[in-house]
Amino acid sequence: MRIERSSILMYLSLAAAYALVAYCTIRVIRITEDVTEIWIANALLLGVMMHRKPREAPLLLLAGAVGSLVADVLVDETNVQAVVYTAASMAEVAFAYTTLRLLRIGPSTVPSERDFFLGVPAAILSAPAVSAAIAAAWAVGQSKSDFLTAFVNWWTGGVVGMIALLPAIWTGSLPGLRQTVIGRGAVEFWAWMLAVAAIAIGATFYFAQPFIIIVLPLLIVAYRMGVFRNTLINFVAIIATMTAAVFIRFSGLQVPASDYLAQLGIGQLGFYCAISVLG
């Protein structure tokens, strides 16, 4: 099979993007000494694969695997562990991709009810369980954790990552992105993005259950701006919430939500926020 120069550049760019996202995520995990709060690298890879032709899938998976290995090496993972984690992530993406193709579900600016109710269980809920099972089995073999705890931690991070990023890639396009950020209506989009981020951070600081407060402005955004712009602002809401939670927990700052965050955990907060945003 002849590979065009532009395709090679795309594969290299995808590998670099996966490595960068994975590396930054792992560094945050190391700093916070917490479980995988959010893992968006697999959502990035899956979203790109769904926009490309099926015959490119093996090379796209290979690019993702290279990016994963590079990230693991940069954070000083052991060689065997890097291979296991890479295999787990690629198995998750391959499972989601194959399932979505078999169900004939593909990217769309306005997904149908069928695509939503079949795609969410397949790509968002089921696929992360594949990588979670592999990672949990490895953790048990290395006597690092019991199977259930490792499984839930890994699965939660995968689900949050899929909910946070996949819808934006799924419903988006480069022309649509340009129109959103610099085209007609861009001022309103940026205003709502800043407003939602501010509301998410404020709700996380001052309310023990911030999810309803975060979701309310998103309902207005969804009504006014459509699916793609809403998914971008959803992503900002999740990241803003988790960033605020990390800051509160590790800065020693005492706010009304401090005790709640200490009891709940950042990973669980991200999961609940992602589920709320999905609704």
Side-chain angles (χ1 to χ4, degrees):
M1 180 177 65
R2 183 174 177 271
I3 304 175
E4 297 180 357
R5 183 177 300 178
S6 59
S7 296
I8 295 176
L9 180 61
M10 189 274 294
Y11 297 142
L12 293 176
S13 299
L14 178 60
Y18 190 104
L20 178 62
V21 171
Y23 173 80
C24 292
T25 304
I26 296 171
R27 294 302 301 173
V28 170
I29 296 168
R30 295 281 179 86
I31 292 171
T32 60
E33 298 180 350
D34 208 335
V35 299
T36 306
E37 297 96 354
I38 181 173
W39 186 261
I40 63 176
N42 290 350
L44 171 65
L45 176 57
L46 177 60
V48 172
M49 288 177 65
M50 293 303 299
H51 278 281
R52 306 292 295 187
K53 297 178 180 178
R55 61 183 176 84
E56 295 183 88
L59 291 176
L60 292 169
L61 274 175
L62 178 61
V66 170
S68 178
L69 288 171
V70 169
D72 285 331
V73 169
L74 290 176
V75 296
D76 298 323
E77 297 282 11
T78 64
N79 292 336
V80 176
Q81 185 163 293
V83 171
V84 171
Y85 287 168
T86 296
S89 291
M90 295 308 107
E92 172 187 329
V93 175
F95 177 87
Y97 178 82
T98 302
T99 304
L100 291 171
R101 287 296 185 190
L102 289 174
L103 293 172
R104 297 183 179 179
I105 298 175
S108 172
T109 54
V110 183
S112 67
E113 289 85 352
R114 174 188 177 275
D115 288 357
F116 180 83
F117 287 109
L118 289 179
V120 168
I124 293 180
L125 300 179
S126 299
V130 176
S131 59
I134 297 173
W138 168 259
V140 171
Q142 298 298 306
S143 301
K144 293 183 177 181
S145 175
D146 63 276
F147 183 88
L148 183 59
T149 299
F151 178 89
V152 171
N153 288 343
W154 189 285
W155 179 82
T156 300
V159 168
V160 174
M162 287 290 186
I163 293 175
L165 185 60
L166 184 59
I169 301 176
W170 193 273
T171 59
S173 63
L174 289 179
L177 181 61
R178 285 194 295 269
Q179 179 66 24
T180 296
V181 298
I182 62 175
R184 183 179 180 182
V187 173
E188 183 181 11
F189 168 76
W190 287 110
W192 272 111
M193 179 173 284
L194 293 174
V196 168
I199 291 170
I201 293 171
T204 307
F205 266 72
Y206 294 105
F207 296 91
Q209 298 285 352
F211 315 115
I212 298 299
I213 298 172
I214 295 171
V215 168
L216 286 176
L218 293 177
L219 294 174
I220 302 174
V221 171
Y223 176 75
R224 291 187 56 83
M225 297 188 174
V227 178
F228 176 56
R229 294 182 178 185
N230 192 43
T231 58
L232 290 178
I233 296 178
N234 287 349
F235 179 71
V236 170
I238 294 173
I239 298 300
T241 300
M242 298 188 69
T243 301
V246 170
F247 177 79
I248 293 170
R249 185 168 175 180
F250 296 99
S251 67
L253 183 67
Q254 292 298 314
V255 296
S258 295
D259 293 338
Y260 174 74
L261 290 175
Q263 179 181 3
L264 180 63
I266 298 170
Q268 290 175 296
L269 175 69
F271 178 73
Y272 293 150
C273 179
I275 293 297
S276 300
V277 165
L278 179 64

